[in-house]
Amino acid sequence: SSELTQDPAVSVALGQTVRITCQGDSLRSYYASWYQQKPGQAPVLVIYGKNNRPSGIPDRFSGSSSGNTASLTITGAQAEDEADYYCNSRDSSGNHYVVFGGGTKLTVL
Amino acid sequence: EVQLVESGGGLIQPGGSLRLSCAASGFTVSSNYMSWVRQAPGKGLEWVSVIYSGGSTYYADSVKGRFTISRDNSKNTLYLQMNSLRAEDTAVYYCANYDSSGHYSAFDIWGQGTMVTVSS
């Protein structure tokens, strides 16, 4: 099955812009979705499809894609954005599997 | 309000069986794609299984042949029957609504999770 690779940790200064990336062959065929997870809580979907935000997700979250790399951008990071972020996509093998990235710990300084 | 509530987790010995339940409210389980995702302590998310609205089921290689996903339409509830449990199955198990348009897959509604601990 496919794999998705994320940087384990990223940091950003309060109010600055940060990009979290996700790489994998399946991203050449499918858009990534992105999840925010805070300690002790269930994941929350923040971006899906080409660049769609579920209701209630601030517009400082955006998504993009190029080749085998998907990116989640937070423009003007806030303290409450400190969390783990995961990407996922369908497996491109046609086997109906779903794959997740290993996650990125975002620290807001 | 759209909500998923899992139950059935607990401590189980290696080789044992456990059935997780996920009660849905605010939407119909049988009309949607539903999935189980797990997270081992301190680790990332791992997809476990999916059941499509038509009834087709798929499993991660790590659980194939041991886990069975199903639903009870009358109870609007999703299940995960877990047999031959191993220590590496220890995790928080989340049920989630799975939105798959063809060009993306997204888990847009999540339960709070239920902890499964496999240990002697």
Side-chain angles (χ1 to χ4, degrees):
Chain A
S1 60
S2 304
E3 293 185 352
L4 296 178
T5 301
Q6 298 181 240
D7 292 328
V10 171
S11 62
V12 61
L14 185 67
Q16 297 303 300
T17 296
V18 62
R19 178 179 293 179
I20 299 170
T21 61
C22 174
Q23 288 188 303
D25 287 341
S26 63
L27 299 179
R28 297 185 184 278
S29 305
Y30 299 104
Y31 291 111
S33 294
W34 291 92
Y35 306 84
Q36 176 192 73
Q37 186 180 35
K38 297 181 179 179
Q41 298 183 17
V44 173
L45 179 67
V46 295
I47 292 289
Y48 67 97
K50 189 173 184 179
N51 181 20
N52 301 301
R53 283 177 288 107
S55 174
I57 301 302
D59 60 6
R60 63 179 178 272
F61 290 89
S62 63
S64 61
S65 182
S66 178
N68 73 335
T69 301
S71 300
L72 172 70
T73 299
I74 307 174
T75 303
Q78 302 299 303
E80 61 264 32
D81 299 335
E82 184 164 294
D84 293 327
Y85 290 86
Y86 295 91
C87 61
N88 93 281
S89 81
R90 287 187 62 169
D91 188 293
S92 55
S93 317
N95 56 16
H96 299 274
Y97 288 11
V98 176
V99 290
F100 280 96
T104 297
K105 169 64 179 175
L106 175 66
T107 300
V108 179
L109 304 172
Chain B
E1 180 190 7
V2 172
Q3 193 175 14
L4 294 168
V5 178
E6 299 98 334
S7 61
L11 174 64
I12 187 76
Q13 292 188 339
S17 298
L18 207 57
R19 188 179 80 159
L20 306 182
S21 300
C22 172
S25 56
F27 71 102
T28 303
V29 164
S30 60
S31 299
N32 288 28
Y33 295 178
M34 298 295 298
S35 198
W36 289 94
V37 176
R38 69 183 180 183
Q39 186 171 35
K43 303 297 185 182
L45 300 172
E46 179 188 15
W47 173 74
V48 173
S49 180
V50 64
I51 182 167
Y52 289 170
S53 52
S56 298
T57 59
Y58 300 92
Y59 301 90
D61 290 343
S62 58
V63 306
K64 196 175 296 181
R66 300 187 298 124
F67 290 11
T68 302
I69 190 171
S70 64
R71 65 191 181 210
D72 184 328
N73 297 344
S74 67
K75 295 182 178 179
N76 205 29
T77 298
L78 179 73
Y79 299 102
L80 186 68
Q81 177 67 43
M82 305 185 295
N83 299 330
S84 303
L85 283 161
R86 307 166 180 168
E88 54 265 37
D89 295 319
T90 294
V92 174
Y93 284 74
Y94 296 101
C95 67
N97 184 65
Y98 177 53
D99 177 12
S100 180
S101 76
H103 291 289
Y104 69 85
S105 69
F107 300 96
D108 56 0
I109 306 166
W110 294 71
Q112 85 287 352
T114 187
M115 182 71 203
V116 173
T117 303
V118 184
S119 175
S120 55

